[in-house]
Amino acid sequence: MYCPNFLEFYQKDIVPIGPKDRKYLLDEHYSVTAESSHWLIALDGRPALNNPYYYTWNIVVYQASAEGFFLLKQPYYVSESFEDFNQACAAADKIAEDCRFDRLIANTREKQIV
């Protein structure tokens, strides 16, 4: 189970869920409510195990409402860890692009870490 971090949590993008991704969510019995109309993409940073002055970063994607409300303990996707913030930002931008073109699930289904 993924435990969110409140200290270093940065919402990056909110993108409407496309029809293909929504169909997959419904077909696979994910809890999708009428309010879950968007993907919220965020960066979550945690102190590195070997050096608390450095952080590792994960990209976390949640189902959210158009206003950005989401369930913090129920992410749809959590990426592998990045040691470099700029690399994590670039990867988050790629995920946002996948969301905009309605292919988040197609491109993350095999890599999902949650």
Side-chain angles (χ1 to χ4, degrees), residues 89-100 103 107:
C89 284
D93 290 342
K94 171 72 172 100
I95 287 175
E97 181 181 315
D98 289 344
C99 292
R100 285 186 196 91
R103 49 179 200 229
N107 289 349

Side-chain angles (χ1 to χ4, degrees), residues 3-114:
C3 295
N5 176 22
F6 294 106
L7 297 176
E8 298 292 336
F9 184 86
Y10 303 99
Q11 295 182 14
K12 193 150 172 40
D13 287 308
I14 186 162
V15 180
I17 297 175
K20 291 178 193 171
D21 285 343
R22 178 169 291 286
K23 181 178 181 334
Y24 176 82
L25 292 171
L26 293 170
D27 289 350
E28 295 300 317
H29 307 291
Y30 280 92
S31 62
V32 179
T33 65
E35 294 85 30
S36 297
S37 59
H38 289 69
W39 295 117
L40 182 132
I41 303 157
L43 294 172
D44 183 19
R46 297 165 188 277
L49 294 175
N50 57 351
N51 188 339
Y53 295 108
Y54 290 95
Y55 277 71
T56 58
W57 298 91
N58 292 87
I59 301 157
V60 188
V61 179
Y62 296 93
Q63 294 178 52
S65 69
E67 295 80 23
F69 295 109
F70 63 99
L71 296 175
L72 192 62
K73 291 190 178 188
Q74 293 182 341
Y76 169 74
Y77 172 78
V78 179
S79 73
E80 72 277 358
S81 293
F82 294 87
E83 291 183 6
D84 182 270
F85 183 78
N86 292 325
Q87 288 177 342
C89 284
D93 290 342
K94 171 72 172 100
I95 287 175
E97 181 181 315
D98 289 344
C99 292
R100 285 186 196 91
F101 289 106
D102 197 17
R103 49 179 200 229
L104 173 71
I105 292 174
N107 289 349
T108 61
R109 191 176 322 159
E110 301 301 319
K111 300 184 286 185
Q112 197 168 5
I113 291 180
V114 174

